Amino acid sequence: DTGVSQDPRHKITKRGQNVTFRCDPISEHNRLYWYRQTLGQGPEFLTYFQNEAQLEKSRLLSDRFSAERPKGSFSTLEIQRTEQGDSAMYLCASSSRRTSGGTEQFFGPGTRLTVL
Amino acid sequence: RKEVEQDPGPFNVPEGATVAFNCTYSNSASQSFFWYRQDCRKEPKLLMSVYSSGNEDGRFTAQLNRASQYISLLIRDSKLSDSATYLCVVNPIQGAQKLVFGQGTRLTINP
């Protein structure tokens, strides 16, 4: 399978703990995105990387959240001092300018986070 | 006001029916428009892009009205496999990469 992969698929943690999620984009895609989706809502944009550079960040991305893409390939999203309100599905997507002009974003299966 | 607004439904229609979804967006400078489909507990997948001239893909027709800031999706001869949540999506800023999603409209096709 050459699609976007995310790990872990599920994470249960206690309030106050730190968690880290990983995303592996489609191999030739240089653009990578993180979104958050809560039940009954559409995904909300968190941040965007082009290669290793983080070019856009949403105001939703508080200082407890940090994302990296050190070598322009996989990315990690870390949440420090988790709160119950962080419980959501965290979706990663990737795209390439050479694919549909970069307009289509391909999503991974998501990491479902539950904060107890 | 939300940037992209959709009727969340649910819509329950019989197989073979025609169903239409609408969506409005608030940013008149928005550049690109899409419909994504999301099956239960799955990731969103692009259904179709939406162009000013309107476009059709098999049983699916998408329309854009820039003056009214309104996007529509029409599904003809609905199939059981069309049951899903349909997300209206806008790229609001030229050169920016973020997508803004509506809440989604849940559709169930009944046999």
Side-chain angles (χ1 to χ4, degrees):
Chain A
D1 189 343
T2 57
V4 178
S5 62
Q6 292 188 245
D7 184 68
R9 296 290 305 277
H10 303 274
K11 178 70 177 179
I12 299 173
T13 191
K14 292 183 180 178
R15 189 176 52 188
Q17 297 295 304
N18 299 344
V19 294
T20 300
F21 310 141
R22 176 178 170 128
C23 170
D24 287 87
I26 294 171
S27 59
E28 64 268 25
H29 285 184
N30 64 333
R31 297 173 176 176
L32 186 147
Y33 315 80
W34 285 98
Y35 291 83
R36 180 174 69 187
Q37 186 174 24
T38 53
L39 195 63
Q41 301 297 316
E44 295 174 291
F45 172 80
L46 293 178
T47 191
Y48 156 64
F49 290 85
Q50 182 161 306
N51 300 312
E52 66 276 6
Q54 188 173 20
L55 298 183
E56 284 185 66
K57 287 173 65 172
S58 164
R59 285 172 293 180
L60 292 174
L61 215 64
S62 76
D63 57 5
R64 295 186 297 106
F65 288 70
S66 62
E68 294 183 342
R69 195 183 183 199
K71 297 182 180 178
S73 56
F74 73 92
S75 175
T76 58
L77 178 68
E78 181 184 15
I79 309 174
Q80 295 182 327
R81 305 181 303 281
T82 53
E83 301 172 356
Q84 288 184 324
D86 296 332
S87 295
M89 176 74 83
Y90 289 84
L91 292 162
C92 177
S94 70
S95 72
S96 166
R97 208 171 147 187
R98 287 173 288 178
T99 306
S100 306
T103 57
E104 181 175 0
Q105 295 184 15
F106 295 81
F107 283 81
T111 294
R112 183 171 295 281
L113 173 66
T114 302
V115 182
L116 302 176
Chain B
R1 183 185 172 189
K2 291 184 179 179
E3 286 190 74
V4 179
E5 296 207 56
Q6 289 182 255
D7 179 348
F11 284 56
N12 290 281
V13 301
E15 192 174 8
T18 295
V19 60
F21 306 135
N22 304 316
C23 147
T24 58
Y25 60 95
S26 61
N27 185 343
S28 60
S30 296
Q31 297 294 311
S32 308
F33 309 89
F34 313 92
W35 285 100
Y36 273 69
R37 170 191 168 131
Q38 187 170 26
D39 293 302
C40 189
R41 299 188 179 277
K42 297 285 190 180
E43 70 272 21
K45 292 184 179 178
L46 179 66
L47 178 65
M48 59 197 303
S49 299
V50 187
Y51 305 114
S52 297
S53 54
N55 48 301
E56 189 173 309
D57 183 1
R59 297 180 293 106
F60 299 82
T61 300
Q63 298 275 355
L64 168 64
N65 184 321
R66 284 189 182 270
S68 302
Q69 296 177 210
Y70 170 99
I71 306 163
S72 66
L73 177 68
L74 183 77
I75 306 175
R76 291 182 300 279
D77 187 24
S78 53
K79 311 292 184 190
L80 296 177
S81 57
D82 294 334
S83 297
T85 295
Y86 290 84
L87 297 157
C88 178
V89 186
V90 173
N91 174 231
I93 304 171
Q94 186 174 15
Q97 295 299 318
K98 79 172 196 176
L99 296 179
V100 179
F101 287 77
Q103 180 180 3
T105 298
R106 187 169 172 186
L107 172 66
T108 300
I109 306 298
N110 301 308

